[in-house]
Amino acid sequence: PKRIRRLSDPAALLDLWDEEQTDRPVKTFAYHLAQTPRQLIEELGVRLDTAGVEYAFTGAAATSVVAPFATSVPIAELWIGAATPESDLLDAPATTRVTDGHNVVFLQARDNAPLAFRTRVDGIWVTNLCRLYHDLRQDPRRGATQAEHLREQVIGF
């Protein structure tokens, strides 16, 4: 217990974890009226906090808070606690479930692992940096570019 251990190659460990991570989240698509992407993020965060719903932003929305790089945030993606009922997802942040034209995606895993080590940045819960990196890499839009920017500017390896 008193030994100090250091990773000899943290970049390789991040790459391996990213490669082997297999998420299949349940997705709920919703719409929330907001004038700007930042307003969307802030309103969702405040409303979910007030309702006591565990959440953490990920993807382009989280990157816009942690390491601004994206020119726009078309969709706000959030990991939500595994036990949160769908009614709380829609009622707490005042969103409407939609099949197309969504600007919010609620993601739920079988457990709360995606919320582990989340951090509060500017009053908003954001997933941990490794999870954010992985989630960005899964985004078919500009995710790979944003992930590399996050890795270079914030993660550092």
Side-chain angles (χ1 to χ4, degrees):
K2 294 184 181 188
R3 289 187 177 178
I4 295 175
R5 293 172 176 84
R6 289 188 175 82
L7 287 174
S8 60
D9 193 353
L13 183 60
L14 178 61
D15 290 338
L16 179 63
W17 178 80
D18 176 51
E19 198 175 292
E20 292 187 356
Q21 187 66 27
T22 56
D23 291 322
R24 297 217 169 137
V26 174
K27 296 180 180 183
T28 302
F29 301 99
Y31 181 79
H32 179 80
L33 181 62
Q35 293 178 340
T36 65
R38 185 62 186 199
Q39 181 186 19
L40 174 67
I41 294 166
E42 289 174 354
E43 283 185 11
L44 290 172
V46 167
R47 290 169 185 256
L48 289 167
D49 279 335
T50 302
V53 175
E54 283 187 299
Y55 74 93
F57 280 94
T58 192
T63 304
S64 73
V65 175
V66 175
F69 177 68
T71 54
S72 69
V73 180
I75 299 171
E77 295 176 306
L78 303 93
W79 284 102
I80 301 294
T84 305
E86 185 178 315
S87 61
D88 287 356
L89 295 182
L90 302 173
D91 295 343
T95 58
T96 304
R97 185 181 187 125
V98 295
T99 55
D100 59 344
H102 63 279
N103 64 350
V104 179
V105 178
F106 296 109
L107 307 165
Q108 284 184 292
R110 293 181 189 182
D111 57 22
N112 285 339
L115 298 175
F117 308 110
R118 66 185 177 151
T119 57
R120 205 151 177 85
V121 179
D122 295 337
I124 297 165
W125 285 109
V126 177
T127 59
N128 71 69
L129 296 177
C130 294
R131 162 58 63 181
L132 178 54
Y133 175 77
H134 171 72
D135 290 346
L136 284 169
R137 297 223 348 122
Q138 303 309 306
D139 188 345
R141 295 176 297 261
R142 292 183 51 216
T145 305
Q146 292 174 357
E148 290 310 313
H149 174 75
L150 177 75
R151 189 170 184 163
E152 290 171 8
Q153 299 299 314
V154 181
I155 296 174
F157 54 81

